[in-house]
Amino acid sequence: MTCIDGKKIAAEIRAELRDEVARFTRQSGKTVGLAVVLVGDDPASAVYVRNKIRACEEVGIRSFAYTLPADASQSAVEALVTELASDNAVDGILVQLPLPAHLDGERILSLIPPAKDVDGFTAENLGRLVCGERGPVACTPLGVMELLRRSGIDPDGMHAVVVGRSNIVGKPMAMLLLNANATVTVCHTHTKELAKVCAQADLLISAVGVPAFITADMVKEGAVVIDVGISRKDGKLKGDVDFDAVAPKTSCITPVPGGVGPMTIAMLLKNTLTCAMRSAK
Ligand code: GUN
């Protein structure tokens, strides 16, 4: 069994990106800029946003952080995103989710120009992914693909089972795997005999957000298991996978923390640089 070290792989990617950002700036005379919009005071979101801004600094991407109060109006958030959409110093726009319940998130995301949609959350970019066209792809599933690639795992021909069907992880994950020639099954809350389906997977990817959801009986001997779940239990970060029981059955597994999580931010930086390069052309 190999435990994939996402922290180490993400650090390697950030080091590569630092060089690529410096080269782009030297050759184009432009800096790379990411705008991060946080609405409200959700503590977990505040930590994620802080980590994203710190990572930008590390690789030489200029960040523009905007924090709006929890009771910000729909029009105030829309006005900010609209302003950032036409700001030439901003190559990427990230609106941290979840947004407070009174806001229409879909409408806010629709104001992000697809060429600045570093999260790949807009309907156009999700559609491009379905059609196999180039465009920013959601950072977490993209990070999973990069982890697999750098660990020498090719999904081609594998039976991949994705647990979770969100627009942010499950759906783009399934599309990326399909585009990489895997046979893909997507499971969700209405799936019958979930454990049996999971146990057929050569590659099992869980994005549920329930600690110890994936137990040893749900995993085939020799499977690759990727844990995208993050939840907090007794102050500790927990993945979806009952790691101690499952790991011995796998050929490869990602831990939580230190697996997929660090890759998400590395892919955000990569998407931001790619958006800057495309807009400079
Ligand atoms: N909330 C949880 N994950 C993400 C993410 O990848 N991007 C944004 N914008 N919000 C999130």
Side-chain angles (χ1 to χ4, degrees), residues 25-126:
T25 299
R26 205 168 48 241
Q27 289 174 353
S28 69
K30 289 181 175 169
T31 53
V32 180
L34 174 67
V36 180
V37 178
L38 173 64
V39 186
D41 39 27
D42 176 63
S45 288
V47 172
Y48 290 139
V49 163
R50 209 179 315 131
N51 289 342
K52 288 170 183 177
I53 288 167
R54 195 181 307 139
C56 282
E57 283 165 12
E58 190 191 330
V59 302
I61 292 176
R62 194 172 164 204
S63 60
F64 305 90
Y66 297 88
T67 305
L68 299 181
D71 61 355
S73 66
Q74 179 76 22
S75 60
V77 183
E78 288 186 9
L80 173 58
V81 174
T82 303
E83 188 189 318
L84 296 171
S86 59
D87 185 337
N88 286 334
V90 172
D91 297 295
I93 302 171
L94 180 154
V95 176
Q96 185 65 28
L97 303 180
L99 286 165
H102 68 280
L103 294 173
D104 180 347
E106 248 170 63
R107 218 174 115 167
I108 290 166
L109 292 182
S110 76
L111 298 171
I112 300 175
K116 292 191 180 188
D117 172 27
V118 284
D119 262 326
F121 287 174
T122 59
E124 169 155 342
N125 284 327
L126 271 168

Side-chain angles (χ1 to χ4, degrees), residues 1-280:
M1 182 272 292
T2 308
C3 189
I4 298 177
D5 188 345
K7 209 172 154 185
K8 181 164 161 252
I9 295 174
E12 286 164 10
I13 294 171
R14 288 199 304 277
E16 293 164 14
L17 285 170
R18 191 164 41 230
D19 292 344
E20 288 171 33
V21 168
R23 193 177 328 124
F24 170 78
T25 299
R26 205 168 48 241
Q27 289 174 353
S28 69
K30 289 181 175 169
T31 53
V32 180
L34 174 67
V36 180
V37 178
L38 173 64
V39 186
D41 39 27
D42 176 63
S45 288
V47 172
Y48 290 139
V49 163
R50 209 179 315 131
N51 289 342
K52 288 170 183 177
I53 288 167
R54 195 181 307 139
C56 282
E57 283 165 12
E58 190 191 330
V59 302
I61 292 176
R62 194 172 164 204
S63 60
F64 305 90
Y66 297 88
T67 305
L68 299 181
D71 61 355
S73 66
Q74 179 76 22
S75 60
V77 183
E78 288 186 9
L80 173 58
V81 174
T82 303
E83 188 189 318
L84 296 171
S86 59
D87 185 337
N88 286 334
V90 172
D91 297 295
I93 302 171
L94 180 154
V95 176
Q96 185 65 28
L97 303 180
L99 286 165
H102 68 280
L103 294 173
D104 180 347
E106 248 170 63
R107 218 174 115 167
I108 290 166
L109 292 182
S110 76
L111 298 171
I112 300 175
K116 292 191 180 188
D117 172 27
V118 284
D119 262 326
F121 287 174
T122 59
E124 169 155 342
N125 284 327
L126 271 168
R128 296 182 79 87
L129 176 62
V130 172
C131 298
E133 287 176 23
R134 242 173 35 159
V137 174
C139 303
T140 298
L142 196 60
V144 171
M145 296 306 285
E146 194 63 21
L147 262 190
L148 293 173
R149 196 174 70 80
R150 291 187 185 233
S151 304
I153 299 162
D154 183 356
D156 192 324
M158 281 186 166
H159 180 199
V161 173
V162 178
V163 189
R165 57 171 164 178
S166 68
N167 287 347
I168 296 179
V169 181
K171 286 180 195 168
M173 187 77 255
M175 282 304 142
L176 284 167
L177 289 165
L178 194 57
N179 292 348
N181 300 322
T183 300
V184 183
T185 303
V186 181
C187 297
H188 46 80
T189 42
H190 292 233
T191 299
K192 294 193 177 96
E193 303 201 273
L194 179 85
K196 267 195 197 160
V197 179
C198 290
Q200 290 168 18
D202 304 310
L203 171 59
L204 178 61
I205 299 183
S206 183
V208 174
V210 177
F213 183 82
I214 302 290
T215 48
D217 59 301
M218 297 164 82
V219 176
K220 183 165 82 174
E221 201 72 45
V224 174
V225 175
I226 306 290
D227 192 346
V228 182
I230 291 192
S231 34
R232 250 166 244 272
K233 199 178 170 197
D234 308 326
K236 279 191 182 165
L237 284 186
K238 293 277 177 196
D240 287 351
V241 178
D242 181 1
F243 187 90
D244 292 341
V246 168
K249 289 187 84 174
T250 67
S251 58
C252 258
I253 187 166
T254 60
V256 175
V260 175
M263 294 298 289
T264 297
I265 294 188
M267 292 302 104
L268 169 68
L269 304 173
K270 193 175 167 71
N271 279 349
T272 306
L273 174 61
T274 306
C275 286
M277 287 171 136
R278 287 190 189 147
S279 89

